Amino acid sequence: MIVATAGHIDHGKTLLVKTLTGTDTDRLPEEKARGISIDLGFAYLPLDDGGLIGFVDVPGHERFIRNMLAGVSGIDFALLIVAADDGVMPQTIEHLQILDLLHIRRGAAIITKADRVDAARINEVRAQVQALLANTNLAGAIIHPVSAVSGAGMAELKTLLLREAAAKNLRSAEGQHLRYAIDRAFSIAGSGTVVTGTVFNGTVSTGDKLVISPAGIEVRVRGIQIHGKSAERARAGERCALNLTGTDVDSVRRGDWVMAAAIHRPTRKLDVRLSVLPAEIRALKHWTPVHLHLATADVTARVSLRRGEELAPGSGGIAQLVLDEPVSALHGDRFILRDQSSARTIGGGTIIDPLPPAVRRSKTRDATLNALESADHVTALAALAANDKHPVDLAHFAAIFNLLPDIAAAAYIKAGLVPLGKEHRIAVTQARLTTLQEAAAKQVLAFHQAQPQAPGMEIETLHAALALELDADAFGHVLRLLADQRKIEIHSSLVRKPGHDTTANSADVKLWETVQPVLTAAGFNPPPLKELAPQLKLKDAILKDFLYRQMKAGNLHKVGAERFYLKSTMAVLAATAQAVHAKQPNGLFTAAQYRDATGIGRTLAIEILETLDGLTITQRVGDARKMRKDFVPILGAAEPAPPPAPGAAPKPQQQQKPQQRPPFRNKRY
C-alpha cells in the first residue's frame, strides 16, 4: 500500500512519517537548513508478512504544490494532516481539494501536535476537519489526534495503517502492459541511470525491454530495488527503483513514464470529463491557459470547449485539453488543472480518450465519448457495439484501455464483435456484418440485371453505396468473407455473382474456342504471350487484349510477366500446394518442394506461388509458404496433380469435361 501525506506547511507531516518509519524524508541540504519539505520524500514501513507500506511525504508550502501533485498520483491511502494549534489552513483546503479531484476515497485525518493543546481545542479542530471532509470522497473518514513528540495516539495510527494495508484490494496487474511513473532520476557510479517511481499498471521484471515515454527512448531494465533490496519483479501498486540501460540521466525527467512499447502513444490532445471547483470566482472559458498535472507530469495546456460553452464554478462537462508538449496517458487517468500562473487549483477530472481523432465534436463523437466514459473496458465496449453504424477501432480501444491481446480478444467476443481488416483492424457486430453482406449480394445481383454485359461491379462503387464508415481494408474483408460463402466472386477490382459469364460477340466466342484448347493442352506450362500469338497465328495486340479481358472476367489468371492459366488449371495448382502443405510437420513448404510436386521448373513454380499469394490462397513466411485460406471459393474445386513421372511433366487434372461451348452467351449488337 502507498500512503501519501497532505496538509499545510509545518503541520508535522515529516515528523509523523519519521516516527512511524524511522526515516527522515527531508534529504536535501536546503530542506535541512530551512526546516521545511521542498521535494518529495520517501519512507517504508515493513510488514510482518514481508510486504511494505510505502510513504510519500509531500511539501506543504504553496510554492511547491507541483511537487505535492507529483507525490499524490498513484497512491492508495491519504493522511490529511492538520495541526491542533493552527487548525485548518489554506493548504489544508487546497490539498484536500486535490485529493478529492483525484478521487482518493481511502484515508484518515490526523490531528498532530496534540500535546500542545487541551482537549477542548482538539474537539474544536475535529469539528473543523469533519465539516471540511463532509462533501468530499473522504467524508466519514477516521479523525485521529496524535503527538509525534510524546507518542500519544501513534500506536493506534500504526494499527490503523496495518489494518488498511491488510484489507487493501491489490491493484490488478494482470492483463495490462507495464506503466511506471517516474518521480526522480539520477545517476549512480558503476550502475548508470536510476529512476524511482510507482508501478501504475502491469508488472516489470529484470531484463524487460521497455520505452521511456513520451520521448520514445528504448531501454532495458538492468535491475530493480524495492526499499533498497534487490528484486526480480515489481507489480502495480508498488514503489521501486529501476536501473536502466539505453539512456543517460539527462534524457529522463520527472513526468516521464517507463512503459511497454505497445502503449507508447504520445499525444497532445486529451478528451476529458472536467469539473471546476465551486470556489472558483468565474466560469472556465474556451481556450483558457492552464497547467495540467497528470501523474508526475506538469505541462501547460489550453481548455477547448464548444463554441458558446463555458463551465461555471461547481459544474462539469466534456472538454478537450490541447497540450503544448506531448504526454502519455490512458483512459481513466485522473488529472488536476491549475491556473496559468500555477497559483491556484481550478479543477480536475478524468481522461476519457487520450488519443482523440482530429474531428470536430458531433453527435456521433459525443455518443462515442459517452460510451468510453464507462469505468471498465467490458462495459465501454458493449456501449460502443450498440451503435451498429459506427465500427469500433480495435487498436485504439486496446491502447487507451491498456489491454493485452488475449484480454482484448476475449472482450471482443463477449461484445459480439467481428474484427475486420489486416492493417488497421476495426470491428462491427455480427448483426451489422450479416446485414451488410446481404445488402452487398443484393446490390451485385441488381447490378448484373441492369448491366448484363459488364464483367462485374467495381468494389469502390459498392463500398461507397453500402458502408462509407468502413475503410477499404475492412470492406474488402467483408467481401472476402462473403466470397468464402460462395455468394459472390472477387476478381481484381471487381465483384460479381458466382459463375457470371459476360456476354461477348461472335468473334470472342470463336477466339475462345481457339485459345482454350491450347491452354488446356499446355497444362502447367502454357506458352507466354509472345510465343502463344504466333502459335495461334494471331497478332500480339489482338490476343493480348482478348486474354486480359478474359482475365478480368475471371476465366484466366496471369502468372509471371505474360503467361496465362485457365481458372481450372490454377485450381489444380492450388490443390497441389495444399497437398504439399499437408505433408509438412509444421505446415510450411518450400518452392523446391512445390516444384517437385508439380514437375515444373523452379522459376515457374515461384511465379505460380506468387500468383497464389496474390489470391490470398498462400502466404510467404520467410523462404517458405503456408496455406492461408481455402482455394475452393476462389478457384473452384479440384484434386491435386498426381506425382510427376521421372522426366515427364504432368498434365493437369480437370474436375469436369471441357466445355463444349465457350463460357459466353451470344448477343446481338
Side-chain angles (χ1 to χ4, degrees):
M1 182 172 78
I2 300 176
V3 179
T5 61
H8 199 76
I9 185 172
D10 199 30
H11 275 204
K13 297 185 293 297
T14 302
L15 181 59
L16 183 76
V17 172
K18 183 178 180 180
T19 305
L20 285 168
T21 66
T23 300
D24 184 357
T25 57
D26 282 349
R27 55 188 171 79
L28 301 176
E30 187 178 356
E31 291 177 318
K32 299 292 187 183
R34 297 175 62 181
I36 63 171
S37 297
I38 295 173
D39 203 355
L40 302 176
F42 306 99
Y44 298 88
L45 177 63
L47 303 177
D48 293 339
D49 62 1
L52 293 170
I53 296 178
F55 288 86
V56 183
D57 184 30
V58 306
H61 197 287
E62 62 180 343
R63 288 177 54 194
F64 308 120
I65 196 73
R66 63 179 295 182
N67 294 338
M68 179 272 178
L69 284 159
V72 295
S73 66
I75 66 169
D76 303 301
F77 195 87
L79 291 177
L80 181 67
I81 311 300
V82 182
D85 50 359
D86 285 342
V88 172
M89 297 289 282
Q91 293 313 117
T92 311
I93 297 172
E94 184 170 23
H95 281 205
L96 179 60
Q97 289 173 336
I98 289 169
L99 294 176
D100 197 46
L101 289 168
L102 292 175
H103 278 203
I104 306 300
R105 300 180 183 276
R106 299 175 65 227
I110 307 301
I111 301 175
T112 57
K113 305 182 182 182
D115 57 310
R116 297 187 181 185
V117 299
D118 57 21
R121 175 58 180 169
I122 289 178
N123 288 333
E124 182 182 347
V125 174
R126 185 193 300 272
Q128 289 179 0
V129 173
Q130 194 170 22
L132 187 64
L133 297 178
N135 295 318
T136 73
N137 288 304
L138 292 176
I142 291 174
I143 302 174
H144 181 63
V146 302
S147 170
V149 175
S150 68
M154 292 301 297
E156 292 82 356
L157 174 57
K158 186 173 182 180
T159 299
L160 168 66
L161 292 172
L162 294 175
R163 185 171 65 246
E164 288 291 334
K168 171 184 175 288
N169 294 321
L170 292 176
R171 297 187 209 175
S172 173
E174 305 301 323
Q176 293 188 318
H177 297 283
L178 170 78
R179 200 170 56 134
Y180 169 98
I182 297 173
D183 50 47
R184 281 194 300 161
F186 48 92
S187 183
I188 295 179
S191 295
T193 302
V194 175
V195 297
T196 66
T198 302
V199 183
F200 271 55
N201 310 91
T203 60
V204 58
S205 301
T206 302
D208 283 353
K209 293 182 179 179
L210 302 164
V211 173
I212 301 290
S213 188
I217 303 169
E218 295 181 359
V219 295
R220 183 176 66 83
V221 179
R222 184 179 180 184
I224 302 172
Q225 283 192 2
I226 300 176
H227 190 26
K229 296 180 180 179
S230 295
E232 288 298 316
R233 187 169 178 263
R235 56 168 289 142
E238 293 181 332
R239 282 194 56 80
C240 64
L242 303 180
N243 183 195
L244 303 176
T245 62
T247 185
D248 56 68
V249 71
D250 293 333
S251 301
V252 187
R253 61 178 181 173
R254 173 180 289 176
D256 288 343
W257 297 89
V258 180
M259 61 172 53
I263 55 171
H264 166 60
R265 296 193 176 195
T267 178
R268 286 179 180 266
K269 292 184 178 181
L270 304 168
D271 281 348
V272 303
R273 169 68 67 176
L274 174 60
S275 297
V276 180
L277 287 174
E280 276 296 285
I281 299 174
R282 59 183 63 89
L284 187 66
K285 298 182 180 298
H286 172 69
W287 218 238
T288 298
V290 293
H291 276 263
L292 166 69
H293 293 268
L294 176 65
T296 58
D298 172 11
V299 299
T300 53
R302 297 268 183 173
V303 178
S304 177
L305 300 172
R306 273 182 170 173
R307 181 175 297 177
E309 278 188 356
E310 60 180 36
L311 297 179
S315 72
I318 291 178
Q320 186 171 89
L321 301 179
V322 182
L323 315 183
D324 293 328
E325 58 183 278
V327 298
S328 289
L330 292 179
H331 168 276
D333 283 350
R334 303 292 304 181
F335 65 89
I336 299 295
L337 292 186
R338 305 198 84 219
D339 71 326
Q340 185 176 19
S341 61
S342 201
R344 73 182 192 281
T345 301
I346 296 173
T350 308
I351 294 176
I352 303 173
D353 188 352
L355 303 169
V359 296
R360 288 178 178 270
R361 285 265 303 278
S362 62
K363 290 183 179 180
T364 299
R365 180 59 183 165
D366 284 346
T368 299
L369 290 174
N370 288 334
L372 288 176
E373 277 201 89
S374 303
D376 66 280
H377 70 274
V378 174
T379 306
L381 197 58
L384 289 174
N387 185 354
D388 275 351
K389 289 289 186 178
H390 191 68
V392 180
D393 185 329
L394 300 184
H396 173 269
F397 186 85
I400 69 172
F401 277 89
N402 189 14
L403 303 178
L404 292 177
D406 56 336
I407 302 298
Y412 303 151
I413 294 172
K414 187 173 182 179
L417 292 171
V418 182
L420 303 173
K422 293 181 290 184
E423 299 299 326
H424 180 73
R425 283 164 60 82
I426 62 175
V428 297
T429 62
Q430 182 61 58
R432 171 61 176 156
L433 177 61
T434 300
T435 300
L436 193 55
Q437 289 178 324
E438 290 173 351
K442 184 177 180 180
Q443 192 95 344
V444 170
L445 183 61
F447 173 84
H448 284 308
Q449 291 172 344
Q451 302 185 47
Q453 292 179 278
M457 185 178 187
E458 289 288 344
I459 291 176
E460 286 186 9
T461 304
L462 186 62
H463 182 192
L466 295 181
L468 282 176
E469 74 274 12
L470 302 182
D471 59 27
D473 184 34
F475 187 72
H477 193 153
V478 172
L479 295 184
R480 288 193 295 274
L481 292 173
L482 201 56
D484 290 344
Q485 301 170 28
R486 304 187 191 183
K487 294 183 178 179
I488 61 168
E489 291 180 352
I490 303 171
H491 187 75
S492 187
S493 64
L494 300 178
V495 59
R496 65 190 180 203
K497 66 179 182 179
H500 174 68
D501 285 340
T502 57
T503 57
N505 55 41
S506 57
D508 277 355
V509 173
K510 186 175 181 180
L511 196 52
W512 182 254
E513 291 174 344
T514 302
V515 172
Q516 186 188 28
V518 174
L519 296 181
T520 301
F524 293 168
N525 195 9
L529 178 62
K530 64 180 180 180
E531 297 177 11
L532 183 60
Q535 182 178 338
L536 297 174
K537 298 181 180 179
L538 294 170
K539 292 182 178 180
D540 282 2
I542 293 175
L543 181 59
K544 182 176 182 179
D545 175 69
F546 175 75
L547 293 176
Y548 273 90
R549 282 191 284 114
Q550 297 308 306
M551 185 183 76
K552 192 171 184 180
N555 299 317
L556 297 175
H557 290 271
K558 185 164 71 74
V559 173
E562 288 191 325
R563 198 186 298 264
F564 293 85
Y565 283 69
L566 295 171
K567 182 179 179 180
S568 57
T569 304
M570 287 301 300
V572 176
L573 289 166
T576 305
Q578 190 175 62
V580 176
H581 155 86
K583 292 179 181 179
Q584 311 311 315
N586 60 357
L588 297 176
F589 63 94
T590 64
Q593 290 170 326
Y594 185 70
R595 173 202 62 197
D596 295 341
T598 55
I600 57 180
R602 176 178 173 80
T603 300
L604 186 54
I606 291 173
E607 290 178 343
I608 291 171
L609 289 173
E610 288 174 346
T611 301
L612 294 176
D613 292 345
L615 294 171
T616 70
I617 294 171
T618 57
Q619 181 178 352
R620 184 170 178 176
V621 182
D623 292 330
R625 276 178 172 79
K626 67 177 182 179
M627 294 301 293
R628 183 173 177 181
K629 64 167 57 176
D630 183 14
F631 68 90
V632 175
I634 300 172
L635 298 173
E639 294 293 329
K651 292 185 180 292
Q653 293 183 352
Q654 303 294 334
Q655 295 305 298
Q656 300 177 354
K657 293 181 181 180
Q659 294 179 332
Q660 299 301 314
R661 63 177 182 81
F664 303 108
R665 293 187 295 274
N666 291 330
K667 180 175 178 65
R668 296 179 182 274
Y669 285 88

